[in-house]
């Protein structure tokens, strides 16, 4: 269930792990969607994608609502990453449409846009295998997240003084808020390649966030992390959603995390979408238990 | 000591400045003073060498924008230098434009030609792109050699000495100031480019092109733009050559020149403006040193002085290989390490 957004200084009265105080009031709205909370943000409509004989996605339909954390789960090879790639324009499905709804104007079909255009429309993402700009600092990586919001004029860039410098300072302000939100102020000037794996994942989340996305796609942001890092990352995903109201599509294997943080869960298996629903409903769905965990397993989330 | 413990800023403006510490400002002042004194002390021979370095530095900065910063490869440098030199020479010689205006024209023309030959970069990477830009090299030189009516073909094109307000601009001393001024502006402009979003987008393409696209960097636009900007700098270097030497021949712009420039940025440091300058200086000075060496030991080893060109070429190759193996980040990195060492002295970690 969508929770109301927190304001600065508020504490969420809940089960300890989620409770925290917001350290400062945020000036910038990181949520780039023009839609009302709960409105359909992304509509995946009968998408079909195959590579030669391999069917990666088969007639998948689902809706992601504005303000939700929408988890996509499923075993390896189920087609989760492929679905995100379709949304960000990296893969072009053979059939179907992915409509991104906008506050103003008609929805745009993301299956026909190039990645850079999808980004411009408000689709931001992280990758399963970190894809940062390794030789640049954390700050430069995050500033690159501002690329679509900047005006790039050659003469101004070469001259620096004037509009170019003003723009750098202007955007630095939002970037600093993201740095603050993700608790990485000490890393600002460090080259990303030198950071620990978990921190790189956090920077990648930050870069996507700097885009002020309409929808944030996170491909296994907690994979390969230890329990502590995982907890941190889960908290940041929650913060991003609760404080900033950013709609998030989250691919994650850890059922405990998924059941804890998400508003909606879709289950993919062999390229098909078995079910979409609230965590409790999905957890007890017969087909899901059978297909995802194999017959006779414990229900998902039990014991975690 | 503030420098030893870290540099702190209280405003973004201060944080964005190029130089932060007093020693950095002092170093810049020393370099500036040295550049002002130098032409008064240098012998005529060394003044021509310094002028060559200045021009090469501009060309190397241009190439580094494309190769070092954007991660595209180009073997067309010689061709682009030719476009700049011939365009500027012809604009003065045939159309009678004042030479500064002609140089601006040359920059724009070379940028345009560079953008055109950069189009294959949209589809090609690495070696394939190298071959495509090699085509630029050969096509341009072929056009120069065969378009007799305009370029004078294989004969040399004589460029009238530059005139400005009735004053004839000639001589190594005068050109020293023009070349050094242009080089300084080029270095500053390139540095500026890479502290703004546009330059960062180029580096993003180099580091991780898929991620660059996904954050909204249009690869088509930026790759072509990188070729255009890079070629603009190279065109300026070409134009300066034309007006400084007053003669333009195609033999100065062969594939060897393209490779020489690649060597400059490898030796100097890929993705470094300062490195481009160090590399240009090094690769221009190296043959001069070897020549002097040959002359001084020529009596004892006559074979050495007889085979001087071969020795020079071998030294070139050796230097490039040594840098690739031992310090791929070039002279800029070595200098950086020296600075760090001095800065921390006597406190070593
Ligand atoms: N670029 C590709 N080329 C060929 N096959 C691919 C490609 N991307 C994904 N696939 C195939 O599509 C299926 C789904 O993969 P993927 O989306 O990565 O699954 P998941 O992220 O759920 O683990 C797999 O069988 C995989 O081999
Ligand atoms: Mg995957």
């Amino acid at each position: 269930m969508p929770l109301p957004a927190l304001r600065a200084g508020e504490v969420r009265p809940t089960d300890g792990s989620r409770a925290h105080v917001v350290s400062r009031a945020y000036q910038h709205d990181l949520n780039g969607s023009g839609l009302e909370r709960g409105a359909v943000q992304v509509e995946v409509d009968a998408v079909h994608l195959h590579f030669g004989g391999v069917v990666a996605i088969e007639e998948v339909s689902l809706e992601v609502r504005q303000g939700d954390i929408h988890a996509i789960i499923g075993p390896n090879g189920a087609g989760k990453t492929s679905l995100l790639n379709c949304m960000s324009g990296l893969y072009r499905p053979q059939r179907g449409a992915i409509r991104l709804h906008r506050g103003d104007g008609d929805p745009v079909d993301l299956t026909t846009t190039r990645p850079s255009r999808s980004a411009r429309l408000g689709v931001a993402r992280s990758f399963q295998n970190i894809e940062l700009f390794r030789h640049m600092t954390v700050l430069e990586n995050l500033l690159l997240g501002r690329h679509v919001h900047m005006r790039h004029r050659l003469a101004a860039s070469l001259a620096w003084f004037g509009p170019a410098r003003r723009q750098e300072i202007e955007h630095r302000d939002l970037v600093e808020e993201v740095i603050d939100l993700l608790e990485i102020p000490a890393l600002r000037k460090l080259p990303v390649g030198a950071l620990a794996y978990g921190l790189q994942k956090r920077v990648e989340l930050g870069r996507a966030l700097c885009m002020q996305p309409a929808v944030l796609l996170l491909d296994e942001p907690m994979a390969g992390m230890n329990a502590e890092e995982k907890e941190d990352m889960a908290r940041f995903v929650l913060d991003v959603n609760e404080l900033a109201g950013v709609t998030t599509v989250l691919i994650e294997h850890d059922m405990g995390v998924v059941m804890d943080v998400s508003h909606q869960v879709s289950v993919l298996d062999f390229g098909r979408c078995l079910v979409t629903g609230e965590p409790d409903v999905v957890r007890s769905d017969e087909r899901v238990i059978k297909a995802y965990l194999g017959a006779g397993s414990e229900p998902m989330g039990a014991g975690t | 000591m503030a420098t030893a413990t870290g540099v702190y800023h209280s405003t973004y403006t201060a944080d964005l400045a190029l130089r932060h510490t007093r020693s950095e400002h002092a170093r810049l002042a020393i370099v500036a003073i040295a550049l002002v004194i130098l032409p008064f002390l240098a012998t005529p021979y060394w003044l021509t060498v310094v002028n060559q370095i200045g021009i090469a530095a501009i060309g190397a900065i241009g190439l580094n924008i494309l190769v070092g910063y954007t991660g595209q490869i180009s073997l067309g440098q010689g061709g682009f230098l030719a476009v700049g030199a011939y365009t500027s020479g012809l604009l003065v010689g045939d159309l009678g434009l004042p030479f500064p205006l002609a140089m601006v024209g040359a920059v724009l023309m070379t940028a345009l030609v560079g953008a055109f030959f950069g189009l294959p970069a949209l589809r090609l990477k690495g070696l394939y792109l190298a071959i495509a830009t090699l085509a630029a090299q050969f096509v341009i030189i072929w056009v120069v050699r065969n378009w007799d009516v305009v370029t004078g073909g294989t004969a040399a094109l004589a460029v009238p000495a530059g005139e400005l307000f009735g004053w004839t601009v000639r001589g190594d001393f005068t050109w020293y100031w023009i070349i050094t001024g242009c080089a300084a502006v080029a270095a500053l402009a390139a540095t500026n480019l890479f502290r703004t979003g546009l330059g960062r987008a180029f580096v993003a393409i180099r580091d991780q092109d898929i991620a660059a696209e996904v954050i909204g960097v249009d690869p088509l636009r930026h790759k072509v733009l990188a070729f255009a900007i890079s070629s603009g700098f190279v065109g300026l270097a070409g134009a300066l050559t034309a007006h400084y030497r007053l003669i333009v021949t195609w033999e100065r712009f062969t594939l060897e020149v393209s490779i020489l420039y690649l060597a400059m940025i490898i030796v100097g440091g890929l993705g470094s403006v300062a490195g481009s300058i160090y590399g240009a200086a090094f690769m221009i000075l190296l043959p001069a040193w070897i020549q002097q060496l040959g002359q001084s030991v020529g009596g004892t080893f006559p074979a050495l002085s007889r085979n001087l060109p071969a020795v020079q070429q071998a030294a070139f190759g050796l230097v490039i290989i040594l840098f690739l193996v031992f310090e791929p980040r070039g002279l800029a990195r070595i200098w950086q390490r020296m600075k760090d060492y001095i800065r921390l002295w006597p406190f070593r970690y």
Side-chain angles (χ1 to χ4, degrees):
Chain A
M1 283 122 281
L3 297 155
L6 280 177
R7 266 187 298 276
E10 263 185 339
V11 182
R12 167 95 61 227
T14 174
D15 53 272
S17 70
R18 275 209 201 185
H20 63 276
V21 183
V22 183
S23 63
R24 60 185 263 198
Y26 290 97
Q27 307 280 317
H28 298 277
D29 187 2
L30 295 176
N31 183 6
S33 172
L35 299 177
E36 290 290 314
R37 208 182 168 80
V40 174
Q41 179 72 67
V42 184
E43 197 183 339
V44 178
D45 184 6
V47 166
H48 178 96
L49 171 76
H50 59 84
F51 299 97
V54 180
V55 178
I57 304 175
E58 205 175 345
E59 309 304 324
V60 166
S61 297
L62 55 90
E63 286 179 354
V64 178
R65 289 189 322 232
Q66 165 56 218
D68 275 5
I69 293 180
H70 191 127
I72 297 181
I73 62 172
N76 277 329
K80 306 181 295 294
T81 299
S82 298
L83 187 60
L84 290 206
N85 285 349
C86 290
M87 290 188 193
S88 52
L90 291 171
Y91 287 174
R92 192 140 291 184
Q94 281 82 10
R95 288 194 298 278
I98 300 175
R99 283 180 282 275
L100 177 76
H101 291 268
R102 301 186 296 170
D104 49 348
D106 300 326
V108 187
D109 187 354
L110 295 175
T111 61
T112 60
T113 55
R114 284 179 290 121
S116 58
R117 170 130 175 84
S118 300
R120 219 159 266 282
L121 291 167
V123 181
R125 71 173 290 178
S126 72
F127 291 86
Q128 191 168 346
N129 308 306
I130 303 164
E131 307 280 6
L132 284 165
F133 307 114
R134 293 179 55 80
H135 297 101
M136 288 193 246
T137 63
V138 169
L139 194 57
E140 287 167 325
N141 270 273
L142 296 183
L143 278 166
L144 270 159
R146 300 298 300 154
H147 182 84
V148 298
H149 299 286
M150 289 185 167
R151 295 193 59 189
H152 303 284
R153 282 164 302 188
L154 177 57
S157 288
L158 295 174
W160 176 247
F161 286 102
R165 190 175 68 151
R166 223 167 19 241
Q167 174 168 266
E168 290 296 318
I169 292 169
E170 209 177 281
H171 288 267
R172 176 74 181 271
D173 205 48
L174 182 140
V175 166
E176 287 295 334
E177 282 199 3
V178 171
I179 286 176
D180 190 81
L181 181 71
L182 298 182
E183 298 170 10
I184 47 176
L187 312 181
R188 242 187 234 112
K189 296 282 171 88
L190 295 181
V192 157
L195 299 182
Y197 177 83
L199 291 174
Q200 290 196 15
K201 285 254 175 197
R202 209 187 290 182
V203 174
E204 209 188 9
L205 169 64
R207 185 181 66 189
L209 210 50
C210 284
M211 293 169 70
Q212 291 177 294
V215 57
L216 176 64
L217 314 175
L218 302 178
D219 197 346
E220 305 201 17
M222 295 155 222
M225 289 185 168
N226 62 34
E228 195 182 332
E229 289 174 323
K230 226 178 228 185
E231 197 174 297
D232 277 347
M233 186 52 100
R235 183 162 59 82
F236 291 125
V237 170
L238 264 175
D239 277 359
V240 164
N241 179 255
E242 293 181 355
L243 302 178
V246 176
T247 309
T248 307
V249 176
L250 172 71
I251 297 181
E252 183 45 51
H253 279 301
D254 188 318
M255 282 312 128
V257 171
V258 167
M259 295 302 158
D260 253 17
V261 305
S262 34
H263 305 103
Q264 292 279 306
V265 180
S266 291
V267 184
L268 289 194
D269 189 38
F270 290 112
R272 293 188 159 274
C273 183
L274 296 183
V275 59
T276 297
E278 288 176 11
D280 289 336
V281 178
V282 170
R283 197 203 308 249
S284 51
D285 189 285
E286 277 301 317
R287 288 166 300 173
V288 175
I289 295 169
K290 223 157 98 187
Y292 189 61
L293 286 175
S297 303
E298 281 183 62
M300 278 180 286
T304 54
Chain B
M1 266 217 325
T3 51
T5 54
V7 184
Y8 298 101
H9 300 291
S10 48
T11 66
Y12 297 146
T13 316
D15 195 32
L16 286 167
L18 280 180
R19 280 157 225 288
H20 302 295
T21 63
R22 215 184 291 164
S23 67
E24 281 172 328
H25 281 109
R27 209 157 43 224
L28 183 68
I30 290 169
V31 170
I33 292 168
L35 285 175
V36 170
I37 298 173
L38 187 125
F40 295 101
L41 303 181
T43 62
Y45 168 74
W46 281 107
L47 203 52
T48 57
V49 171
V50 170
N51 283 345
Q52 279 181 55
I53 291 173
I55 294 174
I58 297 170
I61 290 170
L63 187 64
N64 220 337
I65 289 174
L66 185 66
V67 179
Y69 284 101
T70 318
Q72 311 299 298
I73 185 87
S74 171
L75 287 172
Q77 179 85 357
F80 298 139
L81 281 166
V83 172
Y86 276 95
T87 306
S88 209
L90 289 168
L91 284 177
V92 172
D94 286 8
L95 299 184
L97 287 187
F99 81 95
L101 213 59
M103 284 180 20
V104 173
V107 168
L108 297 178
M109 182 67 179
T110 316
L112 210 66
V113 172
F116 174 76
F117 282 108
L119 287 174
L122 310 177
R123 286 294 169 84
L124 305 178
K125 282 182 191 175
L127 264 182
Y128 298 97
L129 181 60
I131 300 299
T133 56
L134 190 60
Q137 171 69 40
F138 285 120
V139 167
I140 291 170
I141 297 305
W142 185 87
V143 168
V144 165
R145 293 185 53 180
N146 288 277
W147 199 10
D148 307 39
V149 242
V150 177
T151 62
T154 49
L157 175 76
V159 180
E163 301 221 2
L164 214 55
F165 313 120
W167 174 56
T168 308
V169 183
R170 62 171 5 141
D172 285 327
F173 184 80
T174 310
W175 275 98
Y176 171 84
W177 300 105
I178 299 174
I179 290 168
T180 308
C182 286
V185 169
L188 189 62
T191 308
N192 286 342
L193 177 64
F194 291 103
R195 48 183 182 154
T196 65
L198 185 58
R200 271 196 303 273
F202 291 161
V203 183
I205 289 174
R206 176 196 75 188
D207 267 15
Q208 184 44 264
D209 56 348
I210 301 281
E213 267 192 271
V214 164
I215 57 154
V217 176
D218 182 350
L220 189 144
R221 192 167 167 268
H222 285 85
K223 282 181 185 175
V224 171
L225 200 55
F227 264 93
I229 296 169
S230 161
S231 304
F233 282 74
V234 178
L236 176 61
L240 282 170
T241 320
H243 298 300
Y244 170 53
R245 293 186 175 277
L246 302 178
I247 194 152
V248 184
T249 62
W250 67 272
E251 285 128 324
R252 290 205 148 271
F253 307 112
T254 55
L255 179 61
E256 268 173 60
V257 174
S258 298
I259 291 168
L260 172 66
Y261 272 87
L262 280 173
M264 286 178 196
I265 60 173
I266 290 170
V267 167
L270 290 170
S272 160
V273 171
S276 315
I277 300 170
Y278 306 153
F282 190 90
M283 293 316 268
I284 299 282
L285 288 174
L286 186 66
W289 280 329
I290 292 175
Q291 192 150 18
Q292 287 200 329
L293 190 74
Q295 276 159 7
S296 58
V297 300
T300 343
F301 305 102
L304 188 68
S305 55
R306 261 201 317 278
N307 295 318
L308 211 53
V311 172
Q312 282 174 341
Q313 299 229 318
F316 258 53
L318 191 66
V319 163
I320 297 170
I321 290 170
L322 286 177
F323 269 96
L324 283 174
V325 172
F326 292 107
E327 188 45 278
R329 288 155 80 187
L331 290 167
R333 177 73 195 136
I334 293 173
W335 173 229
Q336 183 65 45
R337 269 210 306 267
M338 273 163 56
K339 278 193 296 193
D340 290 346
Y341 182 85
I342 294 166
R343 188 159 65 92
L344 293 173
W345 189 87
F347 310 103
R348 279 189 234 150
Y349 304 102

